[in-house]
């Protein structure tokens, strides 16, 4: 509450003539923001309202409140820049939302650091890549491992395609029996006609290790790896033949310095958490289970039913879980 009161006080001061008006300002990561620049809104930090993107209520003079409307990906034009004349040097920019002409006020540095403002938009390596959804993975897995399509497998496929229908089918045998022919044909068609020409992707959590100054890039540790080369995703595992080639993401030292400031935010520690979009070309054959160390028999039994082969076609690394921003680096 004390922190919120302090923020409101600073914003109230901002509305007065004590704030010098600027045509440009240097942000925390060294970039220059100017009047007339277009910035882009991100997601609301607490899902109910923005913390650092604010609006002024007409009924309460000189009071600013977190904006409640979701304006994710909206473009905001900077119309004024002001900086508080105190030890905190709070930089607030007045903006105009291009689609509505709504005036909004952004405390710019923390808005960037918390992802409410996008600074490094997504750079897609494969814009037409297909998401490797549960139903596609099931069809692929059944095909390469030559598994039988049982009623339980078919029920899982229905759930993957239509959750509400799947719930009905699990509790009502007559509902399942009525849609069984349609979905059985759908699944067998997906198995027999699987598209191996396309690039597929899924998103995974990653750990971003310290910057490697010898190789100019960030070393990555993938979370949920059964063993080296085996990537776990949901109920499935992928044997990635070229996994080691994508353990480092090239980033120039200049960009790395900015990215580290973004990852650090207002903390004294750099946050290692990141999110990767992994692009694959899938392999149309059953994979032999190989291990660089001892694997228990129960793990081998699971892999026999869930293992699929793939080659990485690229990886993009981001700072936020929805993988739309902020972009850190990529490798193709």
């Amino acid at each position: 509450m004390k922190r919120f009161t302090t923020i409101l006080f600073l914003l109230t001061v901002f509305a007065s003539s004590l704030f010098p008006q600027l045509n440009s300002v240097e942000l925390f990561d060294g970039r220059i923001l100017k009047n007339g620049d277009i910035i882009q809104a991100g997601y609301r930090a607490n899902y109910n309202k923005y913390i650092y993107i604010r609006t002024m209520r007409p009924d309460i003079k000189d009071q600013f409140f977190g904006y409640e409307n979701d304006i994710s990906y909206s473009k905001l034009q900077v119309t004024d820049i002001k900086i508080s004349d105190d030890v905190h040097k709070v930089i607030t920019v007045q903006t105009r939302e291009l689609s509505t002409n709504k005036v909004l006020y952004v405390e710019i540095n923390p808005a960037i650091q918390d992802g409410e403002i996008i600074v490094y938009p997504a750079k897609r390596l494969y814009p037409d890549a297909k998401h490797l959804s549960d139903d596609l993975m099931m069809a692929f897995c059944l095909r390469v491992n030559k598994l039988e399509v049982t009623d339980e497998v078919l029920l899982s496929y229905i759930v993957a395609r239509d959750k509400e229908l799947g719930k009905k089918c699990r509790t009502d045998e007559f509902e399942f029996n009525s849609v069984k022919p349609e979905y059985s044909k759908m699944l067998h068609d997906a198995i027999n006609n699987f598209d191996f020409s396309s690039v597929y992707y899924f998103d995974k959590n990653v750990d971003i290790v310290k910057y490697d100054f010898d190789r100019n890039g960030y070393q990555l540790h993938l979370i949920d790896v059964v063993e080296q080369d085996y990537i776990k995703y949901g109920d499935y595992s992928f044997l990635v033949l070229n996994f080691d080639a994508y353990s480092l993401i090239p980033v120039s030292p200049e960009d790395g310095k900015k990215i580290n400031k973004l990852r650090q935010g207002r903390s004294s520690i750099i946050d290692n958490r990141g999110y990767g979009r992994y692009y694959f070309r899938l392999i149309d054959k059953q994979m032999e289970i190989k291990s660089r160390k001892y694997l228990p028999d129960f793990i081998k039994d699971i892999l026999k039913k869930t293992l699929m082969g793939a080659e990485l076609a690229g990886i993009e690394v981001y700072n936020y879980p929805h993988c739309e921003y902020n972009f850190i680096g990529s490798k193709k």
Side-chain angles (χ1 to χ4, degrees):
M1 183 66 186
K2 183 178 179 181
R3 182 172 177 265
F4 180 71
T5 304
T6 302
I7 290 173
L8 284 180
F9 170 76
L10 291 173
L11 285 170
T12 303
V13 175
F14 157 71
S16 74
S17 60
L18 295 177
F19 279 62
Q21 297 187 11
L22 305 170
N23 291 321
S24 65
V25 67
E26 182 177 348
L27 302 182
F28 73 97
D29 62 356
R31 291 179 303 112
I32 302 299
L33 185 70
K34 305 183 298 296
N35 273 335
D37 282 355
I38 304 296
I39 58 178
Q40 195 172 20
Y43 291 119
R44 292 174 291 188
N46 67 354
Y47 304 102
N48 294 317
K49 65 179 180 180
Y50 292 93
I51 304 299
Y52 300 106
I53 301 178
R54 306 185 181 100
T55 184
M56 186 189 296
R57 282 176 49 176
D59 56 330
I60 306 179
K61 186 178 180 181
D62 294 340
Q63 291 285 320
F64 295 80
F65 298 88
Y67 196 47
E68 295 182 355
N69 293 348
D70 185 359
I71 54 170
S72 303
Y73 301 104
S74 294
K75 293 182 178 179
L76 312 174
Q77 185 175 38
V78 177
T79 58
D80 196 10
I81 301 172
K82 296 184 180 180
I83 181 169
S84 65
D85 190 19
D86 62 16
V87 68
H88 299 289
K89 300 296 182 185
V90 176
I91 301 171
T92 306
V93 298
Q94 179 178 304
T95 68
R96 177 177 63 89
E97 187 184 3
L98 294 185
S99 61
T100 64
N101 279 328
K102 176 78 175 178
V103 175
L104 298 169
Y105 303 88
V106 183
E107 190 180 336
I108 191 66
N109 280 333
I112 291 171
Q113 291 166 330
D114 281 16
E116 291 189 358
I117 293 293
I118 301 170
V119 289
Y120 304 114
K123 297 180 181 179
R124 298 296 185 218
L125 294 175
Y126 297 94
D128 298 325
K130 297 179 180 179
H131 179 241
L132 196 51
S133 55
D134 288 343
D135 58 309
L136 284 174
M137 280 191 289
M138 184 177 294
F140 176 39
C141 184
L142 291 167
R143 175 186 174 111
V144 295
N145 292 310
K146 300 177 175 57
L147 300 175
E148 181 184 358
V149 178
T150 63
D151 280 358
E152 187 58 37
V153 167
L154 190 56
L155 271 170
S156 296
Y157 182 72
I158 293 171
V159 171
R161 298 280 303 191
D162 187 332
K163 288 185 179 180
E164 290 304 316
L165 178 59
K167 289 179 182 178
K168 292 178 182 178
C169 289
R170 287 199 181 277
T171 57
D172 186 341
E173 59 185 313
F174 289 95
E175 183 74 33
F176 173 62
N177 191 65
S178 68
V179 300
K180 180 177 177 178
E182 176 190 357
Y183 278 86
S184 178
K185 181 181 184 307
M186 194 182 300
L187 177 54
H188 280 93
D189 286 346
I191 293 170
N192 297 326
N193 303 314
F194 196 91
D195 179 13
F196 287 93
S197 64
S198 294
V199 173
Y200 295 87
Y201 76 89
F202 56 65
D203 300 332
K204 287 282 292 182
N205 294 343
V206 297
D207 276 337
I208 305 170
V209 189
K210 286 185 177 181
Y211 189 84
D212 188 327
F213 288 95
D214 293 327
R215 295 190 290 169
N216 288 345
Y218 286 104
Q219 189 82 22
L220 300 178
H221 285 170
L222 186 62
I223 298 172
D224 292 334
V225 177
V226 176
E227 189 201 0
Q228 191 169 355
D229 299 339
Y230 289 88
I231 297 178
K232 182 152 179 58
Y233 185 72
D235 295 330
Y236 301 92
S237 297
F238 289 84
L239 176 57
V240 182
L241 302 184
N242 59 343
F243 186 74
D244 288 344
Y246 288 85
S247 61
L248 184 125
I249 297 299
V251 176
S252 71
E254 294 77 17
D255 287 341
K257 186 175 181 180
K258 296 176 183 178
I259 289 166
N260 271 18
K261 288 182 178 179
L262 177 67
R263 292 166 57 207
Q264 185 173 5
R266 292 171 301 284
S267 168
S268 60
I269 300 173
I270 294 177
D271 192 345
N272 282 346
R273 293 173 300 174
Y275 304 88
R277 174 156 292 186
Y278 284 76
Y279 294 96
F280 296 96
R281 290 187 174 90
L282 304 179
I283 299 172
D284 188 15
K285 70 175 184 180
Q286 189 172 20
M287 306 308 294
E288 181 181 349
I289 299 173
K290 297 180 180 180
S291 177
R292 300 184 185 183
K293 62 181 180 181
Y294 171 73
L295 281 179
D297 288 339
F298 80 92
I299 297 262
K300 291 181 181 179
D301 290 339
I302 293 173
L303 288 175
K304 287 176 183 178
K305 297 179 181 179
T306 63
L307 185 62
M308 298 170 280
E311 288 188 342
L312 274 166
I315 177 175
E316 303 160 2
V317 180
Y318 296 87
N319 207 42
Y320 289 95
H322 33 75
C323 280
E324 295 294 342
Y325 62 84
N326 289 306
F327 177 75
I328 291 178
S330 64
K331 182 176 182 179
K332 194 170 184 177

